[in-house]
Amino acid sequence: MSSAAAAAAHIAGYVLCNDVSERHFQAERGGQWDKGKNCATFCPLGPWFVTADEIADPQDIALGLEVNAKPYQKSTTAQMIFSATYLVWYVSRFMTLYPGDVISSGTPAGVGAGQSPPVFLRPGDVMRAWASGLGEQRSRLVSVSS
């Protein structure tokens, strides 16, 4: 792709992604953030995929996350450091992107680890992630032995 503007033609659509992190794996098991991002059931997508022509402005999507009905994150994609088209263009400079690839763009301020004092998810907690036009996810946390 020659530019970020040209990247828009290569975006099939948008989907809600809950970028879950296992902080114990990240902080207490020796570095590397990837370990805390790859557990079974992490990073749920959906509930549906919305084609690019159905989203008037991908930089104007309200989104948020609640835990047990308490809001922790609330923002819009207008607050993204880099636009969706820029991310596709930039990533494509370093790797081949294929149909069906998903680029997760990050998360708004308000994650539990950033709270004072830090707040971590516990078994029984219910997360609700939502994005205007992309739907909502509800996830009940369960305990899994390590």
Side-chain angles (χ1 to χ4, degrees):
M1 273 168 263
S2 59
S3 69
H10 299 276
I11 298 174
Y14 302 90
V15 65
L16 176 61
C17 168
N18 186 356
D19 183 19
V20 179
S21 298
E22 170 48 83
R23 299 294 186 198
H24 176 77
F25 288 0
Q26 291 175 326
E28 298 180 24
R29 291 194 178 180
Q32 294 305 321
W33 292 105
D34 287 347
K35 286 186 285 188
K37 298 289 188 180
N38 294 295
C39 300
T41 74
F42 280 23
C43 201
L45 300 176
W48 50 78
F49 171 84
V50 180
T51 58
D53 65 318
E54 296 178 275
I55 301 292
D57 182 356
Q59 299 312 133
D60 188 29
I61 298 172
L63 49 103
L65 182 119
E66 302 170 354
V67 177
N68 301 326
K70 179 181 177 184
Y72 279 88
Q73 297 173 288
K74 187 172 183 185
S75 189
T76 73
T77 54
Q79 298 298 310
M80 291 172 63
I81 296 169
F82 300 106
S83 69
T85 55
Y86 180 88
L87 292 173
V88 171
W89 170 78
Y90 185 78
V91 169
S92 73
R93 295 175 61 198
F94 302 98
M95 65 184 73
T96 302
L97 294 172
Y98 295 99
D101 283 351
V102 174
I103 298 173
S104 178
S105 60
T107 189
V111 297
Q115 302 293 316
S116 184
V119 176
F120 298 102
L121 298 169
R122 299 178 314 271
D125 285 348
V126 176
M127 287 188 296
R128 176 181 167 260
W130 58 270
S132 60
L134 300 178
E136 154 181 329
Q137 300 175 0
R138 289 184 185 267
S139 305
R140 180 174 303 277
L141 279 78
V142 296
S143 179
V144 178
S145 60
S146 50

